[in-house]
Each structure stands twice: as C-alpha cells, then as structure tokens.
C-alpha cells in the first residue's frame, strides 16, 4: 500500500567552502531525507562524507536533466518521501536549477521548506564594503555581449548595487561589457569565499577591465551604484540660502543643505555660507 503521508521538499543551503558553516538543521535534514537531489553526486557525496552523513540516496538533478527528472521527483514526494535539494555550494536556486521543481511541488500540494545558510551573494555583500542595499542579483550574465550589455544597462539604471557571478574564463570580457553599459563604477571581486585563499579585490570596472585577471573558480562580483551628477553651483547656492533662512547655526544649515544636494559635502556648503556673509 502506498504511503500517502505528507512529504516535504527541503531546499538546503550547503557550505561555500568551509565545511564548518553547515548548520545542525541542514545536517539533520540531509541525513534524514529519502533522497538528496544534487548537481554533482560526487561533490555532494564528498561533503556528506566529511560531515559523517550516509545519504540514503543521491540523485543527480541539474540544469541538463531538471525537466526530465521532474516526474520522478514528484512521484517520490507523492509516495511520502522527504527530499533534500542542494546545489554544489551555497543556497540552491540562485543561479542554479530548482525553481521549476519548487513550483511543481507546491502546485502538487507538497510542502517546500527552506533550510537557510551560506550564500555567496550575501557573503560578498557583507564584506565588500559597498552599499549592500538596495541590490539586484543578476545571476550569470548572458553569453552574448549584446544581451549582457542590455542586462547591465537595464539594472544599472535602478541605482542599486549589482551582484553577479562569473567564470574565470569570461570575467575580463564581462567586466569590459559592464564598463561600457554602466560607466566606471566601484567594484569588488570576491573569490574563494570562506576558503583558505579567500580574497576581496577592490577596484573599479575600468581598472579591472584592463588587467589580466588570474583568478580561480567562479567569482562573485559586486558593483556599486552609479554616482549622481553633482548639483550645479547655482542650485547649491539656492538650497544653502533656503536652509540658512530656515534658522539654526550655519553648520547645521550646511548639513541640511548637503543632505539635499548631490555631490556636495557639508564642508563645501558651509564655506559657501561663510563666503556669503562676507560678500
């Protein structure tokens, strides 16, 4: 007789590189799942071995077989089997397969539960030193230059920090395309996150696009928002006069004015106000 108990698809975050980052809940779910769906069964098998976990079953589930495997996976859930979905590293679905499975599982009435943990996106944002929000995650940019340029231009216009993944062999070309679409911006290349040779390389799109970049593996790229054009001197003078007329000490008025003006510091506005007193 078929077991008709409710089953759950667990979406499990796994370490980016440092095995100590796996959570106790993630380890428990991986040990208890009837099957672990993974991009590379060998890679996931090594991770589980290092954690002392013997999986009941490892099943390959990646971008090339996702559609074909869906009926088989849904049948396991229908039979009452709890399943765990993992990517090679980090949080699944973010530039990895799984979206269609999650959607299909929910539509079939099965529970889908995230087991949060490591994420290359959040790890990069937390340590890059670039404004972390708002941000847009672009995944892997398209392979064609025209499509990649259009993607960067569209999201670059939002004023958000941009985060994307890129392979080492395409990194220099992609940064050059980003430079064309966005103009020169602050940029940090984040590589080997949580691993022995973890590295954050700060610079600019123009600087990196002109370099030979010898970086291992996939790189997480964080690009800062574009800088707004500096307000004209006439606009700054007008705003400074308005804030001075509103009352308060000159430095307070300068601070309020600078907050309203793009590209002007409190020191510059204060100097403008002081000069007006002597005109």
């Amino acid at each position: 007789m078929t077991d008709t108990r409710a089953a759950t698809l667990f979406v499990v975050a796994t370490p980016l590189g440092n095995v100590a980052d796996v959570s106790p809940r993630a380890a428990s779910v991986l040990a208890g799942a009837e099957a672990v769906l993974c991009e590379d069964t060998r890679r996931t098998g090594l991770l589980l071995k290092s954690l002392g976990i013997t999986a009941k079953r490892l099943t390959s589930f990646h971008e090339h077989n996702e559609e074909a495997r869906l009926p088989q996976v849904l049948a396991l859930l229908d039979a009452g089997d709890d399943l765990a979905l993992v990517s090679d590293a980090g949080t699944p679905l973010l530039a990895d397969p799984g979206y269609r499975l999650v959607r299909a599982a929910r539509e079939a009435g099965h529970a889908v539960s995230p087991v949060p943990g490591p994420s290359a996106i959040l790890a990069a944002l937390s340590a890059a030193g670039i404004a972390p929000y708002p941000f847009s995650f672009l995944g892997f940019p398209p392979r064609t230059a025209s499509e990649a340029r259009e993607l960067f231009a569209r999201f670059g216009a939002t004023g958000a920090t941009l985060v994307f993944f890129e392979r080492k062999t395409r990194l220099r070309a992609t940064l050059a395309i980003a430079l064309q679409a966005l103009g020169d911006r602050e940029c940090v290349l984040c590589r080997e996150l949580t691993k022995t040779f973890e590295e954050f390389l700060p610079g600019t799109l123009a600087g990196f696009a002109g370099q030979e970049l010898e970086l291992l593996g996939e790189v997480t790229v964080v690009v800062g928002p574009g800088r707004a054009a500096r307000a004209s001197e006439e606009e700054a003078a007008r705003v400074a006069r308005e804030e001075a007329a509103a009352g308060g000490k000159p430095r307070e008025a300068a601070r309020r004015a600078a907050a309203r003006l793009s590209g002007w510091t409190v020191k510059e506005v204060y100097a403008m106000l002081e000069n007006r007193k002597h005109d």
Side-chain angles (χ1 to χ4, degrees):
M1 181 176 179
T2 302
D3 183 0
T4 58
R5 72 177 179 84
T8 299
L9 171 66
F10 292 97
V11 183
V12 185
T14 54
L16 300 173
N18 192 322
V19 177
D21 289 339
V22 71
S23 71
R25 181 181 174 217
S28 175
V29 167
L30 292 171
E34 290 301 319
V36 177
L37 313 176
C38 44
E39 292 183 272
D40 185 332
T41 56
R42 292 168 298 179
R43 184 166 181 168
T44 299
L46 289 173
L47 170 65
L48 296 181
K49 183 177 179 180
S50 69
L51 296 172
I53 295 172
T54 301
K56 297 176 183 178
R57 178 178 174 186
L58 288 177
T59 300
S60 66
F61 189 87
H62 47 71
E63 61 179 334
H64 301 298
N65 71 1
E66 181 178 9
E67 187 173 348
R69 278 283 161 86
L70 274 177
Q72 174 188 344
V73 174
L74 291 174
L76 292 173
L77 291 168
D78 289 340
D81 292 341
D82 288 338
L83 307 178
L85 172 67
V86 301
S87 64
D88 281 346
T91 301
L93 275 71
L94 304 180
D96 298 312
Y99 158 74
R100 293 180 182 83
L101 171 58
V102 167
R103 187 182 183 95
R106 286 201 182 282
E107 289 176 347
H110 300 294
V112 179
S113 180
V115 183
S119 163
I121 303 163
L122 300 183
L125 281 169
S126 70
I130 289 178
Y133 62 87
F135 77 89
S136 294
F137 173 57
L138 308 183
F140 283 95
R143 286 189 169 274
T144 66
S146 60
E147 290 178 334
R149 191 177 300 109
E150 191 278 332
L151 178 74
F152 287 128
R154 177 155 47 95
F155 284 93
T158 65
T161 290
L162 305 180
V163 184
F164 61 91
F165 297 153
E166 191 51 283
R167 296 172 179 84
K168 63 177 181 178
T169 54
R170 295 179 48 81
L171 181 60
R172 185 181 180 188
T174 298
L175 292 177
I177 294 169
L179 175 62
Q180 293 173 1
L182 303 170
D184 198 16
R185 295 191 183 186
E186 187 179 12
C187 175
V188 178
L189 307 183
C190 313
R191 59 178 291 272
E192 298 290 278
L193 291 171
T194 77
K195 300 177 184 177
T196 302
F197 298 106
E198 176 182 86
E199 193 170 18
F200 290 82
L201 302 173
T204 64
L205 286 173
F208 285 128
Q211 291 182 30
E212 289 293 341
L213 300 168
E214 297 294 335
L215 302 177
L216 298 175
E218 293 174 358
V219 178
T220 303
V221 182
V222 181
V223 179
R227 296 176 180 174
R230 178 180 169 91
S232 68
E233 189 166 342
E234 292 76 11
E235 173 71 3
R238 181 185 65 78
V239 172
R241 288 195 300 270
E242 290 176 356
E243 293 299 341
K249 296 180 179 180
R251 193 165 293 279
E252 283 299 318
R255 186 172 292 109
R256 296 196 304 269
R260 294 172 54 188
L261 293 165
S262 174
W264 286 78
T265 66
V266 174
K267 183 178 180 180
E268 289 173 326
V269 178
Y270 180 75
M272 179 181 287
L273 290 173
E274 288 297 294
N275 289 336
R276 283 186 62 232
K277 287 165 49 177
H278 301 295
D279 288 345

